[in-house]
Amino acid sequence: MSKKDPQTAALRRLDVAITIQQQAQQKAVDERTHIEAAVREALAAGVKVSDVAARLGVTVQRVYQIKNAKS
């Protein structure tokens, strides 16, 4: 086995790890977008801000930030 083989394998593993991280980051963005849309929908339907905050486990201020953010 040459010295290059372990390096090549290590670089491949690094590439796989980077790809997995990028996919996880995109999934997190998608999930956040989905949650924020659901928050706005709940508020538009008349659900109290405090109830939304309690359900999400966030502060009332955070719910207002989501509500007022540009979508």
Side-chain angles (χ1 to χ4, degrees):
M1 182 180 257
S2 73
K3 187 176 182 181
K4 191 173 184 179
D5 291 334
Q7 291 175 356
T8 300
L11 288 172
R12 284 187 189 140
R13 284 192 298 276
L14 183 58
D15 288 341
V16 168
I18 290 167
T19 299
I20 291 168
Q21 178 199 29
Q22 290 170 339
Q23 291 170 343
Q25 287 175 333
Q26 184 58 51
K27 184 177 179 184
V29 168
D30 294 344
E31 289 171 353
R32 185 178 66 236
T33 300
H34 183 78
I35 288 171
E36 289 174 354
V39 166
R40 289 186 194 98
E41 182 180 335
L43 295 173
V47 178
K48 292 180 183 179
V49 171
S50 59
D51 291 340
V52 173
R55 179 69 59 101
L56 287 176
V58 300
T59 64
V60 168
Q61 290 82 2
R62 179 64 186 128
V63 174
Y64 279 113
Q65 287 173 347
I66 293 169
K67 177 185 176 198
N68 297 325
K70 299 192 191 273
S71 357

